[in-house]
Amino acid sequence: MVFSSFVFLLVFLPIVLLLYYICPRRLRNLVLLFASLIFYAWGEPVYVLIMLFSTVFDYTNGRLIEYFRAKNSPGRMKAALVVDLCGNLAILGFFKYADFFIGNLNSVTGAGLSLLHIALPIGISFYTFQTMSYTIDVYWGRVPAQHSILDFATYVVLFPQLIAGPIVQYKTIADELTCRKSSLEDFSEGAFRFAVGMGKKVLLANQIGALWNEISGMSELTAATAWLGAVAYSFQIYFDFSGYSDMAIGLGRMFGFHFLENFNFPYMAGSITEFWRRWHISLSSWFKEYVYIPLGGNRKGMPRQILNLLIVWMLTGLWHGASWNFVLWGLYYGVLLIMEKLFLLRWLEKLPAWLGHVYSMFLVVIGWTIFAQTDMHALSGYLKAMFGVGVSAVNSDFFYLLSCNGVLLVILVICSADHRAWLRILLKSRGDRPVSDGNIFDEVQSSPVLTLAKPAFMLVLLALSYAFLVGDSYNPFLYFRF
Amino acid sequence: MKKIRVMITVCFVLFVGGISAAGFIAKDREFSPNENRYLSDPPKFSWENVLEGRFQKGLEEYLKDHIFGRDQWITVKTAVQKAAGNTDIGGAYVGKDGYDFEKITKEDVDDALVEQNTRAVVSFFDRASEKIAADRISFLLIPTSGLVMADKLPKNARLFDQSAYLDRILDAVRDYNAVDVRAALAAHADEYIYYRTDHHWTTDGAFIAWQEWSRSVGMPYTDKSELEKNVLADDFRGSLYSKILDAGSACDSIWTYGPVGEGLSFVSGYKVTVDGKKPGMIYDVDKLDEKDKYAFFFGGNYGQVHIEAGGKNGRKLLVIKDSFANAFVPLALEQFDDIYMVDLRYYKGDMQSYLAEHDITDILVLYNISNFISDKNLYKLQ
């Protein structure tokens, strides 16, 4: 099930909210657990079994690690961890990468092995990473093992972040799993956040996604149209992904969970380093915490650090899908980040800030072009078109597509910008108090008219989202490769 | 602060819960006249359907089709898209002066299919010409409004190169009476020759093509000035409207031409038989009360229609056609003894034996170009 569907909005969400809040507190995890299982089984009626297996497997290993720790047996502790990691990676590897591996083996050796044609279980990359964070943290002693299988299962299958992230680490919500309060503040902020995410997904991402869909299907490109398409896709993936994260964070809060932020206006970045501090934060921090630092991070000299970065970024790329373009995309960022570490950042600091933004966005848009095309041949054709190789600069198609999407593009640019920064400047110029990191509406609560703005804005977003969900047929799920 | 939180919570619960509840309480509609399609039924529950995902997909479609206020939601969506300057809505173009257009891009055209369809027509003509003179075998390929009224399209709108296809196809049929009606229609481009909200041509558009064709086959024809125009409806919103669903869209009129003072009664003199047995009619006034008012002409499309026409010259015309012919054929009723219309989408028989069986003396293949390039039934001609 996805959030931007009517099965979710008209049936699932009202029923689950109702059940959750009429049930006594001790039954609430049970409600969430069953709701989440239905949520997942709705799209993956068979693969829900893998998730259940994963739950039992990780729960058992967590308990084993705890048991061996109490027995003072670090060797067995480690063994339990290794078994757990191997199990998780084997599941991920089999379902996600087996055919990719066989296909490559065939093309290298000519072995001609037949592909397995396994459908990828939705969200498998998200929940295996979540459960691995649990066992690793138990092993490192950062969190105690969860004794209640019910609470642990609730964590693994929790539907808000299940299929499109963010990757919620166990330690983030460990306390809230056993004991959490529901408050009016959490519910209302969560509902508002959900509406914002829905608006981003349905009103912005789907709309500009239709432009990318049209351009990527065109038989004749010009350089201008190719760039328009790449920019369209860049906006689509940002608003789609951050929209899903907003909806997840919002839903989580409606049930009393506080997830960490996953996006922080990434297109405001002045460097690639900064971009990755603002984009899909839960994934980059996962890789940093559980791969980069264990590999030695930056503590073993520059050559080793560069190698570590390349490993991490190749894996990051591969995490996004079993295809070479994702590996290329990961390494592209790996190389850029290494170059920034070595010298580029120092150069950028000396340049005016706007040049840094232009530089970052240029590279990010190229990055998304690589990301969008799983067919290497199509990718090279598209990149050539962007740089004018063998195509003309512009034709009437470009002007038509621009005229249809011009207003939308302006809205997308405005929504990509950090409105808090603007508000700060505005309020400062009026001599008002400085602004915290809160929401734009929380800054204007002193005014009674503007007080109404927040619920009104939420209703407008919800209503328009419903209107576009009813009337528009283009509503893709972009993360089926993750 | 608390007040805002209460308001947000109440608004959210009322909105999400209210629309959900209203959809379940309200009675389901079977048909959406606005969109001119049947709405989906609730999916059947079975474990097999669930495991294969059919139930889930069906339920989503069902909920979407029967959501409370479906038409209003769509109206809002279209209004927002139009306000944002988008002219490509629901797979159709919103043009100027209330005109909407079909969106057919280069990528939509399957060249192999065009080639196959053209060859089918030529080979059908080649075999028919063993018995029928080549100048009595005609081919009319009607351009779309997007070509004829290009100045009303949104600026730079993406369309396939229709003229190039017309040139190529008409050239392939050049041994027969291939009538190019582009210039004649274009000369009247500022008149009401295509509907604004439907992809068909109006009676006036068909009239122009009919005159051109009559001239090319040497048939006498009446001038419009000698006929009476009867406007029968002015609230027609057609197929393009159903795609765009713009509440503020213009409406179209439907009209006929006939002998002065006779209204529609003159057509009662022609006996019409549908699919070999059922009685049919040239003008089905009941359809004027339905959504698809273009079906007024012949009551829609049938596999075959036989008209005992008023020609008295021993000539029998076979029209192999799409729906564009439905507005055209009523104009030709006095030119032939019998007119047979065959729609290959619904007729399965062999066309060469059809010619012999009905002593056909004249053939007209009449298609709109957008149907011709996408139709998957023309192979039946071979």
Side-chain angles (χ1 to χ4, degrees):
Chain A
M1 207 182 291
V2 294
F3 302 143
S4 55
S5 73
F6 284 115
V7 172
F8 182 80
L9 292 169
L10 299 180
V11 184
F12 184 86
L13 184 62
I15 293 177
V16 172
L17 280 176
L18 191 70
L19 283 178
Y20 186 83
Y21 280 101
I22 58 172
C23 277
R25 197 152 286 172
R26 62 195 161 77
L27 289 180
R28 286 184 175 174
N29 274 0
L30 204 62
V31 171
L32 278 183
L33 175 62
F34 276 104
S36 300
L37 287 174
I38 290 169
F39 179 90
Y40 192 77
W42 192 257
E44 302 284 12
V46 181
Y47 284 160
V48 72
L49 298 173
I50 304 170
M51 204 170 62
L52 288 175
F53 168 79
S54 203
T55 306
V56 175
F57 182 69
D58 293 306
Y59 172 81
T60 313
N61 286 322
R63 292 294 297 267
L64 280 176
I65 291 169
E66 185 188 49
Y67 176 76
F68 291 134
R69 188 194 311 280
K71 293 251 161 191
N72 232 335
S73 166
R76 290 186 188 173
M77 254 173 79
K78 195 165 205 161
L81 177 71
V82 169
V83 165
D84 185 77
L85 296 183
C86 288
N88 276 300
L89 291 174
I91 292 173
L92 192 59
F94 179 73
F95 285 98
K96 191 166 171 180
Y97 300 106
D99 273 353
F100 180 58
F101 181 75
I102 295 171
N104 284 311
L105 198 69
N106 282 344
S107 58
V108 171
T109 64
L113 302 169
S114 52
L115 296 180
L116 304 171
H117 296 292
I118 307 160
L120 181 68
I122 289 177
I124 190 166
S125 305
F126 289 102
Y127 73 73
T128 46
F129 269 46
Q130 294 190 162
T131 53
M132 282 195 284
S133 84
Y134 164 74
T135 31
I136 296 172
D137 280 346
V138 170
Y139 175 78
W140 282 341
R142 288 188 191 171
V143 283
Q146 175 59 260
H147 286 206
S148 156
I149 180 113
L150 170 67
D151 290 353
F152 183 70
T154 306
Y155 162 69
V156 177
V157 306
L158 199 59
F159 77 85
Q161 91 286 10
L162 182 59
I163 59 168
I167 299 166
V168 177
Q169 294 182 14
Y170 176 76
K171 59 177 173 284
T172 309
I173 57 167
D175 294 339
E176 287 172 346
L177 274 172
T178 30
C179 172
R180 62 182 175 277
K181 292 191 200 96
S182 18
S183 69
L184 185 64
E185 179 185 356
D186 277 341
F187 191 92
S188 64
E189 285 302 315
F192 183 80
R193 189 65 182 271
F194 178 78
V196 168
M198 181 65 73
K200 279 183 174 177
K201 157 73 183 156
V202 178
L203 303 176
L204 300 179
N206 283 358
Q207 297 311 303
I208 201 65
L211 175 63
W212 162 246
N213 200 33
E214 175 145 11
I215 291 177
S216 62
M218 277 167 69
S219 53
E220 236 181 85
L221 286 173
T222 61
T225 310
W227 275 99
L228 183 63
V231 168
Y233 183 72
S234 303
F235 279 128
Q236 181 190 10
I237 190 131
Y238 168 52
F239 285 102
D240 200 286
F241 205 173
S242 74
Y244 263 108
S245 285
D246 286 338
M247 288 188 269
I249 292 168
L251 287 166
R253 263 193 103 167
M254 290 165 84
F255 296 109
F257 291 100
H258 295 81
F259 303 157
L260 299 177
E261 290 298 328
N262 207 20
F263 290 86
N264 181 24
F265 301 99
Y267 292 170
M268 294 289 283
S271 67
I272 297 301
T273 309
E274 192 187 349
F275 172 76
W276 276 103
R277 277 202 294 261
R278 291 166 171 267
W279 179 277
H280 203 178
I281 300 163
S282 66
L283 180 72
S284 17
S285 33
W286 195 98
F287 270 109
K288 188 178 172 191
E289 234 169 284
Y290 299 109
V291 183
Y292 181 68
I293 292 175
L295 280 175
N298 57 4
R299 291 158 302 164
K300 294 188 177 172
M302 189 53 92
R304 183 58 197 265
Q305 189 187 354
I306 289 174
L307 179 70
N308 290 345
L309 280 167
L310 284 176
I311 292 171
V312 164
W313 285 95
M314 197 192 77
L315 292 176
T316 304
L318 207 53
W319 182 88
H320 287 83
S323 171
W324 282 111
N325 71 304
F326 295 115
V327 178
L328 185 66
W329 176 79
L331 288 174
Y332 166 86
Y333 276 115
V335 169
L336 285 173
L337 290 166
I338 289 165
M339 277 163 51
E340 287 198 347
K341 230 168 210 81
L342 292 177
F343 59 92
L344 262 176
L345 273 184
R346 264 171 288 145
W347 292 6
L348 282 169
E349 273 164 24
K350 291 185 194 119
L351 296 171
W354 65 268
L355 257 177
H357 291 297
V358 172
Y359 150 91
S360 310
M361 278 320 294
F362 175 81
L363 292 172
V364 166
V365 169
I366 302 280
W368 289 130
T369 308
I370 300 170
F371 189 88
Q373 315 254 4
T374 44
D375 180 296
M376 289 307 238
H377 189 72
L379 169 60
S380 77
Y382 198 91
L383 283 172
K384 277 183 195 158
M386 283 173 82
F387 292 98
V389 181
V391 299
S392 45
V394 68
N395 65 4
S396 62
D397 289 354
F398 170 75
F399 292 110
Y400 179 67
L401 297 171
L402 191 64
S403 77
C404 283
N405 294 282
V407 173
L408 178 60
L409 285 165
V410 171
I411 295 172
L412 289 162
V413 169
I414 294 171
C415 293
S416 303
D418 187 347
H419 55 261
R420 292 167 311 187
W422 295 357
L423 198 70
R424 247 171 246 138
I425 295 165
L426 182 81
L427 292 178
K428 218 173 178 182
S429 71
R430 282 180 21 192
D432 274 356
R433 66 194 166 83
V435 182
S436 65
D437 266 358
N439 186 292
I440 190 165
F441 291 99
D442 302 332
E443 306 307 332
V444 289
Q445 52 185 266
S446 47
S447 151
V449 179
L450 287 171
T451 301
L452 290 172
K454 194 172 179 179
F457 183 67
M458 180 193 72
L459 279 180
V460 168
L461 282 181
L462 283 175
L464 287 180
S465 299
Y466 272 51
F468 275 77
L469 278 177
V470 175
D472 229 25
S473 50
Y474 190 68
N475 185 20
F477 183 72
L478 295 178
Y479 319 103
F480 61 92
R481 283 180 206 282
F482 281 23
Chain B
M1 200 64 194
K2 187 166 178 220
K3 229 164 51 190
I4 311 176
R5 286 176 184 152
V6 172
M7 262 157 68
I8 289 175
T9 303
V10 169
C11 285
F12 186 88
V13 169
L14 284 184
F15 184 92
V16 172
I19 289 170
S20 171
F24 286 102
I25 294 164
K27 209 169 165 281
D28 283 358
R29 296 184 301 171
E30 217 173 290
F31 185 77
S32 162
N34 224 20
E35 295 160 75
N36 197 29
R37 67 179 185 91
Y38 286 93
L39 299 174
S40 43
D41 293 324
K44 287 194 180 64
F45 181 87
S46 75
W47 287 112
E48 200 193 336
N49 279 348
V50 170
L51 286 177
E52 312 227 324
R54 279 192 298 266
F55 177 80
Q56 295 91 315
K57 223 172 163 178
L59 188 61
E60 179 66 23
E61 284 306 311
Y62 171 75
L63 290 170
K64 192 171 166 177
D65 276 3
H66 300 279
I67 189 172
F68 179 74
R70 178 174 168 85
D71 290 355
Q72 286 72 25
W73 290 122
I74 297 175
T75 301
V76 168
K77 184 223 71 159
T78 302
V80 171
Q81 282 182 310
K82 277 184 75 177
N86 198 346
T87 49
D88 176 359
I89 300 177
Y93 287 132
V94 182
K96 294 163 200 155
D97 303 330
Y99 272 90
D100 300 330
F101 295 91
E102 278 181 290
K103 177 186 176 185
I104 309 161
T105 63
K106 191 166 25 177
E107 292 79 23
D108 295 327
V109 184
D110 176 356
D111 281 327
L113 185 61
V114 176
E115 187 62 29
Q116 183 193 315
N117 287 350
T118 311
R119 258 188 288 127
V121 170
V122 172
S123 80
F124 172 68
F125 284 178
D126 286 347
R127 279 186 65 195
S129 68
E130 289 163 13
K131 296 196 182 88
I132 299 169
D135 58 359
R136 288 194 177 186
I137 299 177
S138 305
F139 183 58
L140 258 177
L141 198 54
I142 314 302
T144 69
S145 56
L147 181 73
V148 178
M149 315 186 103
D151 59 319
K152 297 214 190 309
L153 274 168
K155 200 174 168 205
N156 295 318
R158 295 180 60 223
L159 285 176
F160 76 113
D161 188 352
Q162 189 174 147
S163 260
Y165 281 93
L166 280 162
D167 286 342
R168 202 186 328 151
I169 300 165
L170 290 172
D171 184 58
V173 196
R174 64 184 175 276
D175 292 341
Y176 303 93
N177 181 35
V179 190
D180 189 346
V181 291
R182 271 176 288 184
L185 287 169
H188 297 270
D190 52 345
E191 294 169 24
Y192 197 174
I193 58 174
Y194 286 92
Y195 295 112
R196 297 185 187 97
T197 66
D198 193 82
H199 65 286
H200 290 106
W201 54 3
T202 65
T203 312
D204 277 25
F207 206 99
I208 293 164
W210 172 64
Q211 284 182 317
E212 282 292 302
W213 171 72
S214 299
R215 227 173 277 145
S216 74
V217 290
M219 275 279 181
Y221 59 89
T222 351
D223 199 69
K224 218 191 272 178
S225 58
E226 298 163 35
L227 298 169
E228 184 182 68
K229 181 177 177 178
N230 292 297
V231 180
L232 299 155
D234 48 16
D235 55 350
F236 172 39
R237 280 172 158 178
S239 59
L240 299 170
Y241 169 82
S242 293
K243 287 186 176 180
I244 299 169
L245 294 165
D246 172 13
S249 134
C251 286
D252 276 303
S253 307
I254 295 221
W255 64 92
T256 61
Y257 287 103
V260 178
E262 287 192 31
L264 290 186
S265 63
F266 75 98
V267 292
S268 57
Y270 308 101
K271 192 178 168 218
V272 182
T273 314
V274 166
D275 289 337
K277 41 190 186 295
K278 281 180 285 174
M281 52 183 104
I282 289 169
Y283 295 135
D284 185 348
V285 285
D286 289 345
K287 297 284 190 218
L288 294 172
D289 300 324
E290 292 180 14
K291 164 67 174 56
D292 180 17
K293 298 189 187 343
Y294 186 79
F296 162 74
F297 300 102
F298 288 100
N301 297 304
Y302 296 95
Q304 49 167 336
V305 176
H306 172 219
I307 309 154
E308 292 174 27
K312 300 186 183 64
N313 55 9
R315 287 169 74 167
K316 291 163 188 256
L317 173 70
L318 167 67
V319 186
I320 296 170
K321 55 96 189 176
D322 63 14
S323 55
F324 272 65
N326 299 359
F328 178 99
V329 169
L331 303 168
L333 293 172
E334 287 297 312
Q335 293 176 315
F336 296 88
D337 284 11
D338 291 274
I339 300 178
Y340 296 88
M341 294 201 286
V342 167
D343 195 320
L344 295 173
R345 287 171 292 184
Y346 312 109
Y347 184 75
K348 306 270 177 276
D350 174 57
M351 289 316 296
Q352 292 296 340
S353 40
Y354 198 95
L355 294 176
E357 213 173 292
H358 297 96
D359 295 323
I360 299 297
T361 63
D362 293 77
I363 298 174
L364 168 63
V365 172
L366 189 157
Y367 274 86
N368 168 242
I369 177 123
S370 85
N371 289 333
F372 186 83
I373 58 174
S374 58
D375 194 285
K376 296 213 165 73
N377 299 286
L378 277 154
Y379 74 92
K380 293 176 189 163
L381 284 174
Q382 269 169 325

